[in-house]
Amino acid sequence: MTSELKSLIEQIGAKSRQLHQSLVAERERVRSMTDEINRLNAEISEFQDQKKSLEHELRDLKTELSQVREQVQVQPVSTNTVEIDVLVKEIDFCIQQLKIANE
């Protein structure tokens, strides 16, 4: 019976050492995963900051585009007005020349 007890004690000791090694390995795996989670959370935060920055830049560019479109639409009207003024002056000049020629 003594040899049986020694055998059981040795088996329990071996299982205990095996469980301890498994526990240490599992703790290391959990620590590694925690580090990876922290790294990924930091990366997510960085991407979110980049997203906010890009959204802000996009808003600014849309505003700028809208302003440029408004200017482009306004410019042809003013250009047409200038062209009309030039044509009116040319017509007046031609009328004056005709008056002079007919006198």
Side-chain angles (χ1 to χ4, degrees), residues 31-92:
R31 196 169 318 145
S32 175
M33 286 183 165
T34 301
D35 290 345
E36 180 68 5
I37 288 170
N38 290 336
R39 185 189 69 77
L40 290 172
N41 282 335
E43 194 172 323
I44 287 171
S45 177
E46 187 177 317
F47 283 133
Q48 287 173 338
D49 290 344
Q50 286 178 351
K51 179 185 172 205
K52 286 179 185 176
S53 175
L54 289 171
E55 286 173 343
H56 181 70
E57 184 178 349
L58 177 62
R59 235 184 346 263
D60 290 346
L61 288 172
K62 282 183 177 180
T63 301
E64 186 178 336
L65 177 62
S66 176
Q67 291 171 351
V68 167
R69 283 184 176 162
E70 288 174 8
Q71 290 175 356
V72 167
Q73 290 174 355
V74 169
Q75 286 177 351
V77 171
S78 64
T79 303
N80 287 339
T81 304
V82 170
E83 288 175 0
I84 291 171
D85 288 344
V86 168
L87 288 174
V88 168
K89 287 179 182 179
E90 284 183 37
I91 291 170
D92 284 342

